[in-house]
Amino acid sequence: MNIIEAKNLIFSYKSNTHEKVVLDNLNINIEKGSFTAIIGHNGSGKSTFAKHMNAILLPSGGSICVCKIDSKDEERLYELRKSAGMVFQNPDNQIVATIVEEDVAFGLENLCIEHEEMHKRVEEALKAVNMYKYRKRAPHLLSGGQKQRVAIAGVLAMQPECIILDEPTAMLDPKGRREVMDTILSLNKEKNITIVMITHYMDEAAKADRVIVLDKGKVILDDTPQNVFEKEEELLSLGLSVPHSTELAHRLRKSGIKIDRAILTPEDCAKEILKHKGNSYD
Ligand code: ADP
């Protein structure tokens, strides 16, 4: 079943003098339970696409449906946003309350949910992002990664089918990035929440099931991370890179070391190198 269905999706910004096409006839379906990463250089249309999945922007042409709800259906806007929660880059802009658990409850307050149910959802959401022990803390005193996990908990408490994350780790240090990535992976694998994540870190994209590469508002590549990152030259020509381990494996291959499979992680790379112990590389 598809959670997101973009059909001939077009979006353009119009001024008096010209029209700038930002999404150029996108056809993208995202399956329930999947983890999709969207990459592309600056200005390729990633954020614009993400904003369509949450009806922050509406198509200039074509359509996008989220859980079968057309984003143009004003009467079901709230339902759509409840199904597909959005997490943005800057955690500071997403925090509204002075205590962590109140912040997570904020979105629920508009839903007229009973106090007991609200309490249960907040507790579950904070446990799912591993922030339960910080529930009484002031959010502004948390680290970037912790704040971002609180923002994710706020979305989770709404019990969405899908979470869309627009560069959620861009403002975090390496520890915060790892914490947020681990949280995203566990929500996908253990709670079967569909994840769509925009990132400019190729190592993060490598952890998804599927990588979509956008360029000038069009889909250029759409495949497994293994197949996408095999195309190093094409990615370089688009102003992108590949995960560090993939790059190392490509270089080893060029220098004559036989590495048959696609390499995405340091562990895979280390295993391949060990296999060649005893040859000239040693
Ligand atoms: P990305 O997320 O891939 O960096 P965006 O979706 O943010 O790309 O932007 C795509 C294009 O749309 C860029 O060329 C950007 O300059 C343009 N754009 C974004 N917002 C506006 C706006 N409010 N008015 C006009 N052009 C915009």
Side-chain angles (χ1 to χ4, degrees):
M1 183 193 146
N2 290 327
I3 293 275
I4 312 275
E5 292 173 307
K7 263 194 212 132
N8 305 323
L9 178 64
I10 296 172
F11 182 77
S12 54
Y13 284 105
K14 291 188 185 89
S15 70
N16 291 339
T17 49
H18 73 295
E19 180 176 355
K20 184 180 166 74
V21 177
V22 178
L23 300 181
D24 193 357
N25 211 25
L26 291 185
N27 285 289
I28 297 177
N29 289 333
I30 297 204
E31 213 173 305
K32 185 175 166 61
S34 61
F35 178 0
T36 304
I38 302 183
I39 60 174
H41 68 80
N42 283 345
S44 56
K46 304 180 300 296
S47 284
T48 306
F49 181 54
K51 286 176 187 150
H52 276 79
M53 288 186 259
N54 203 244
I56 296 170
L57 290 173
L58 296 176
S60 314
S63 65
I64 183 158
C65 290
V66 178
C67 295
K68 307 287 174 204
I69 305 168
D70 191 314
S71 71
K72 286 183 178 152
D73 186 347
E74 274 178 42
E75 284 177 11
R76 298 182 71 191
L77 182 62
Y78 196 70
E79 204 185 328
L80 180 149
R81 291 203 173 139
K82 208 161 78 63
S83 308
M86 188 122 180
V87 175
F88 298 92
Q89 192 180 98
N90 188 344
D92 288 322
N93 294 346
Q94 297 170 81
I95 295 202
V96 287
T98 51
I99 297 173
V100 164
E101 61 184 1
E102 286 176 10
D103 194 79
V104 175
F106 184 77
L108 295 176
E109 275 158 18
N110 300 322
L111 289 178
C112 306
I113 287 175
E114 279 178 27
H115 186 76
E116 209 171 301
E117 168 72 8
M118 195 184 298
H119 195 77
K120 190 169 144 256
R121 285 207 201 177
V122 169
E123 187 176 318
E124 278 172 6
L126 280 169
K127 284 183 178 162
V129 301
N130 211 8
M131 284 297 290
Y132 185 64
K133 68 175 175 198
Y134 296 94
R135 65 194 179 283
K136 301 286 181 200
R137 299 276 184 93
H140 71 276
L141 297 178
L142 301 175
S143 71
Q146 290 171 333
K147 282 185 211 168
Q148 200 58 303
R149 284 187 285 147
V150 171
I152 294 174
V155 170
L156 259 188
M158 312 280 279
Q159 299 184 333
E161 289 277 350
C162 175
I163 303 185
I164 299 140
L165 304 109
D166 189 353
E167 299 204 18
T169 63
M171 302 185 76
L172 308 181
D173 60 16
K175 182 167 177 281
R177 282 181 54 204
R178 263 195 311 277
E179 289 168 3
V180 169
M181 269 316 285
D182 288 347
T183 303
I184 293 168
L185 282 164
S186 93
L187 294 179
N188 176 245
K189 305 288 173 244
E190 284 154 36
K191 301 207 180 290
N192 202 34
I193 292 178
T194 311
I195 301 286
V196 181
M197 183 178 75
I198 293 171
T199 181
H200 65 256
Y201 292 111
M202 301 303 133
D203 295 295
E204 292 179 357
K207 295 197 164 85
D209 309 320
R210 172 184 179 192
V211 177
I212 297 177
V213 183
L214 289 186
D215 186 50
K216 299 190 189 82
K218 285 187 194 294
V219 174
I220 299 290
L221 294 168
D222 179 357
D223 212 327
T224 60
Q226 283 83 355
N227 290 343
V228 166
F229 291 123
E230 275 303 288
K231 302 200 164 85
E232 188 179 15
E233 309 231 312
E234 190 169 352
L235 292 170
L236 289 177
S237 74
L238 294 169
L240 298 170
S241 59
V242 297
H244 294 121
S245 310
T246 314
E247 188 184 345
L248 176 58
H250 286 166
R251 287 195 191 179
L252 290 172
R253 235 181 243 139
K254 274 187 195 153
S255 67
I257 303 213
K258 201 165 168 285
I259 296 180
D260 293 330
R261 62 197 181 108
I263 300 294
L264 293 175
T265 64
E267 292 74 21
D268 287 348
C269 199
K271 276 185 207 153
E272 284 296 312
I273 291 169
L274 281 174
K275 268 202 224 160
H276 290 275
K277 262 186 135 223
N279 70 14
S280 62
Y281 182 71
D282 247 358

